[in-house]
Amino acid sequence: MRSLPLLLVFLASLAQAADYPLDAPAPDGRRPGGTISQELPAPPLAEDENKDIKRERNYPEQPPTIPHAIRGYQVDKNGNKCLTCHSRAGSAKTQAPMISITHYMDRDGQPLAAVSPRRYFCTQCHVPQKEVKPLVGNDFRTIDQLLQDEVQRAGQTQ
């Protein structure tokens, strides 16, 4: 047991002796530039998109995105600001889309009078959008676009 601290000191001295370049360029990622030892300030957060326009979904069962700002909304065990507008009673008053009936079912598919506890925290699945340049390229095509391409290809071959 006495040799363990000595071994650790020896290994630490080897690392220093290897003269690792701590100012080597850091790998580019979400926050490019700088070096491994530098701490650059994080870029400012972009504003939430606030267009209140329902977006097309890209695949079946995709949770809808939130088309408005939700900064400052309380969504915790004590309250859920989303339900003010999107609950059964709230949607009739505000004309906001009502949450899916699946949110009023337990895990066995039995209907409930109130929102299921497992569906209560909206931002587990639904997210607001930001108006930012994408970090990586995306050539995703919806099923409708793929089917349309297929129809066009079939028309060209005839």
Side-chain angles (χ1 to χ4, degrees):
M1 277 314 235
R2 279 190 163 166
S3 61
L4 183 62
L6 291 173
L7 179 63
L8 291 175
V9 169
F10 175 71
L11 291 174
S13 65
L14 277 179
Q16 283 181 340
D19 196 26
Y20 287 112
L22 292 180
D23 285 334
D28 283 348
R30 291 181 180 247
R31 207 185 315 178
T35 64
I36 294 174
S37 64
Q38 284 180 317
E39 282 196 31
L40 299 176
L45 293 175
E47 289 296 318
D48 288 340
E49 191 177 273
N50 205 15
K51 295 181 180 172
D52 263 348
I53 297 171
K54 190 175 179 178
R55 290 183 196 86
E56 179 183 351
R57 297 185 201 187
N58 292 315
Y59 56 89
E61 306 303 322
Q62 176 190 352
T65 57
I66 302 171
H68 57 80
I70 60 167
R71 186 170 292 152
Y73 276 31
Q74 179 183 357
V75 180
D76 59 27
K77 67 182 178 113
N78 299 317
N80 184 326
K81 174 74 172 158
C82 303
L83 294 177
T84 304
C85 298
H86 296 281
S87 65
R88 286 183 189 147
S91 66
K93 295 175 195 164
T94 62
Q95 298 299 302
M98 186 183 94
I99 58 176
S100 168
I101 59 168
T102 60
H103 290 53
Y104 289 94
M105 293 180 182
D106 66 12
R107 67 180 68 230
D108 298 320
Q110 299 300 312
L112 302 170
V115 174
S116 170
R118 67 189 190 119
R119 299 290 192 114
Y120 182 77
F121 298 99
C122 306
T123 52
Q124 287 180 133
C125 301
H126 305 278
V127 294
Q129 300 296 288
K130 308 273 187 199
E131 293 198 35
V132 296
K133 179 182 167 224
L135 294 172
V136 295
N138 182 2
D139 59 0
F140 176 83
R141 302 189 45 81
T142 66
I143 188 67
D144 293 331
Q145 292 167 329
L146 292 172
L147 291 172
Q148 186 177 18
D149 292 349
E150 191 62 33
V151 167
Q152 288 177 348
R153 267 188 248 129
Q156 291 173 352
T157 59
Q158 290 179 356

